[in-house]
C-alpha cells in the first residue's frame, strides 16, 4: 500500500515566495556593496529554469518510477512508514544525496546536468530555483534505498523535504549561525562556499541537510574569504536553453575533436577539468600537470579547476570549452 505522505514542495511554495520577497526588499533598504545581490535578468532565468524543471521532471519520473517499482516489488524487504522510520529514511536519503551531489561534481557527464545550478553569478533565494532539466542522472544513487524496502513514495517525500530545506541556505543575508548548528547542519555559510568559484572552495560542502558527511569524507571547507559565485569560466548568457544544455554541447565538441577512444571516454566520464596527456610527437613539453585544489579539511578532494596546458599541448589537442 502506497504511503500517504504530504507534498512538502507544494505546501512550501507560499513560504518560498514570501522569503524571496523579503530578501529582495532587504537589499533595497539595506544594501550590501560586497554581496552578489539580485539582477533582474538573472533572477528571471533562475525562475524559468525552475519552472522548466518541473515539466521535465514529470517526463523523467515515468521511467524512473517504473524502475523503482520493479526493484521494490522484487525485494522481500519492507520499511514501514512510521514517525521514527521516516526520520531514519530522511537520514539515509541525505547520505545518498551527498554521494549523488559529489558524483555530479566529479564526473563530467553528470556535471553537465548539475552545472545549471552553479551557472548564476548571483547568490540569492532565486538561485535555489535554478534547477536542471536533465535530472534523469540522479535516480541510480537511490536504488540501494529502494532495494532495502523503502517505498518509492517515501523516497520522493524524503527528496522533497531535502529540497525544501536547501531553499533557505541560498542567501547572503544570513551570517554564520551558532557553532553547534554550523557543525552539524548545512547552513548558508557552508552553501556559499559550495557555490563559490575560488580554488580553495571548489568541490566542497556537498551536504543537503547535514554537513557532517563532508566532515566525515574530507570535502568540508569553512567560509573564510568572501565567495565569488559562478563558474570558473562563466557562460555569460540568460538564455534558458543554453543554460540547460551548454555543457552537453561542450562535451560533444570535445568528443568529436578527441584523437582516441580513450580520450573520448575521458571527456565524458572523467572530471570536468580533465586533460589527456600530450600525444607522442606533440612537442617537448611534459605531461599536463593535474590541477590542484587547496584542501581545507585535510583529506583528498575532487578537482574542478582547469590547469593551463602548455602551448605545444594546446596545439596538439584543442582545449575543451566546458565550464567549471
Amino acid at each position: 500500500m502506497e504511503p500517504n505522505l504530504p507534498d512538502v514542495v507544494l505546501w512550501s511554495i507560499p513560504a518560498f515566495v514570501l522569503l524571496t520577497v523579503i530578501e529582495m526588499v532587504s537589499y533595497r533598504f539595506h544594501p550590501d556593496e560586497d554581496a552578489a545581490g539580485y539582477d533582474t535578468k538573472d533572477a528571471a532565468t533562475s525562475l524559468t529554469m525552475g519552472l522548466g524543471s518541473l515539466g521535465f521532471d514529470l517526463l523523467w519520473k515515468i521511467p524512473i518510477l517504473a524502475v523503482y517499482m520493479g526493484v521494490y516489488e522484487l525485494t522481500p524487504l519492507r520499511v514501514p512508514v512510521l514517525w521514527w522510520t521516516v526520520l531514519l529514511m530522511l537520514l539515509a536519503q541525505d547520505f545518498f544525496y551527498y554521494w549523488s551531489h559529489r558524483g555530479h561534481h566529479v564526473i563530467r557527464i553528470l556535471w553537465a546536468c548539475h552545472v545549471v545550478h552553479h551557472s548564476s553569478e548571483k547568490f540569492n533565494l532565486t538561485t535555489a530555483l535554478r534547477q536542471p532539466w536533465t535530472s534523469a542522472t540522479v535516480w541510480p544513487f537511490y536504488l540501494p534505498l529502494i532495494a532495502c524496502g523503502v517505498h518509492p513514495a517515501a523516497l520522493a517525500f524524503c527528496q522533497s523535504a531535502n529540497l525544501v530545506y536547501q531553499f533557505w541556505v541560498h542567501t547572503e543575508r544570513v551570517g554564520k549561525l551558532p557553532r553547534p548548528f554550523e557543525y552539524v547542519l548545512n547552513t548558508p555559510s557552508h552553501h556559499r562556499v559550495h557555490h563559490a568559484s575560488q580554488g580553495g572552495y571548489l568541490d566542497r560542502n556537498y551536504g543537503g541537510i547535514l554537513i557532517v558527511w563532508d566532515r566525515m569524507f574530507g570535502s568540508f571547507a569553512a567560509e573564510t574569504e568572501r565567495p565569488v559565485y559562478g563558474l570558473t569560466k562563466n557562460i555569460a548568457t540568460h538564455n534558458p536553453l543554453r543554460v540547460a544544455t551548454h555543457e552537453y554541447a561542450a562535451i560533444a565538441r570535445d568528443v568529436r575533436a578527441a584523437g582516441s577512444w580513450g580520450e573520448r571516454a575521458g571527456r565524458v566520464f572523467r572530471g570536468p577539468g580533465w586533460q589527456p596527456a600530450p600525444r607522442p610527437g606533440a612537442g617537448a613539453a611534459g605531461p599536463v600537470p593535474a590541477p590542484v585544489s587547496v584542501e581545507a579539511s585535510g583529506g583528498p578532494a575532487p578537482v574542478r579547476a582547469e590547469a593551463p596546458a602548455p602551448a605545444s599541448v594546446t596545439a596538439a589537442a584543442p582545449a575543451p570549452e566546458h565550464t567549471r
Side-chain angles (χ1 to χ4, degrees):
M1 186 169 128
E2 183 174 322
N4 184 21
L5 294 166
D7 187 337
V8 290
V9 173
L10 183 64
W11 281 97
S12 300
I13 289 175
F16 291 169
V17 174
L18 178 61
L19 289 172
T20 301
V21 170
I22 291 173
E23 186 182 49
M24 287 180 174
V25 171
S26 75
Y27 276 108
R28 181 67 179 270
F29 290 99
H30 298 283
D32 181 350
E33 293 182 358
D34 293 324
Y38 273 85
D39 173 80
T40 302
K41 288 184 178 180
D42 180 84
T45 301
S46 294
L47 291 171
T48 302
M49 297 306 299
L51 291 172
S53 74
L54 294 176
F56 281 101
D57 280 352
L58 290 176
L59 295 177
W60 303 131
K61 281 179 181 177
I62 296 172
I64 292 170
L65 181 60
V67 173
Y68 279 174
M69 288 305 301
V71 174
Y72 183 75
E73 291 301 324
L74 288 173
T75 181
L77 304 174
R78 290 293 181 267
V79 178
V81 178
L82 306 169
W83 71 266
W84 62 272
T85 59
V86 168
L87 293 178
L88 291 177
M89 285 188 281
L90 283 168
L91 180 66
Q93 187 275 332
D94 196 54
F95 172 78
F96 285 107
Y97 172 86
Y98 169 86
W99 289 108
S100 171
H101 195 180
R102 187 164 181 165
H104 278 73
H105 273 252
V106 299
I107 299 172
R108 190 180 178 194
I109 191 64
L110 302 186
W111 172 247
C113 162
H114 187 61
V115 67
V116 169
H117 187 60
H118 286 263
S119 61
S120 175
E121 295 178 59
K122 303 295 181 180
F123 190 75
N124 53 59
L125 293 176
T126 65
T127 308
L129 307 178
R130 186 177 287 227
Q131 296 295 323
W133 295 356
T134 56
S135 56
T137 57
V138 172
W139 67 271
F141 290 90
Y142 297 103
L143 275 175
L145 285 176
I146 304 296
C148 288
V150 174
H151 193 283
L155 173 60
F157 169 80
C158 293
Q159 290 175 312
S160 297
N162 199 311
L163 184 66
V164 168
Y165 177 88
Q166 290 189 59
F167 177 78
W168 79 282
V169 301
H170 291 82
T171 184
E172 292 187 280
R173 301 311 257 175
V174 177
K176 289 193 176 184
L177 301 179
R179 185 173 297 179
F181 294 98
E182 293 287 341
Y183 192 83
V184 175
L185 298 173
N186 185 21
T187 65
S189 176
H190 298 326
H191 208 60
R192 287 192 288 268
V193 168
H194 181 70
H195 274 258
S197 60
Q198 292 106 307
Y201 283 170
L202 290 175
D203 296 330
R204 298 293 175 179
N205 299 358
Y206 301 112
I209 296 175
L210 301 176
I211 203 66
V212 293
W213 312 122
D214 291 280
R215 296 184 186 277
M216 289 172 61
F217 299 114
S219 55
F220 174 76
E223 184 181 29
T224 52
E225 60 180 310
R226 183 177 283 273
V228 177
Y229 304 108
L231 305 169
T232 56
K233 180 183 177 184
N234 288 304
I235 55 176
T237 182
H238 297 296
N239 183 326
L241 186 60
R242 190 180 168 207
V243 171
T245 62
H246 71 274
E247 183 66 6
Y248 293 106
I251 290 174
R253 288 192 295 269
D254 288 346
V255 168
R256 282 198 302 270
S260 67
W261 283 106
E263 183 181 346
R264 292 185 185 99
R267 295 297 192 188
V268 175
F269 297 110
R270 303 206 47 177
W274 179 79
Q275 291 279 6
R279 293 192 293 271
V288 179
V292 177
S293 176
V294 178
E295 173 58 62
S297 62
V303 179
R304 68 170 177 169
E306 297 176 21
S312 59
V313 176
T314 305
E321 298 181 33
H322 65 269
T323 50
R324 193 69 172 102

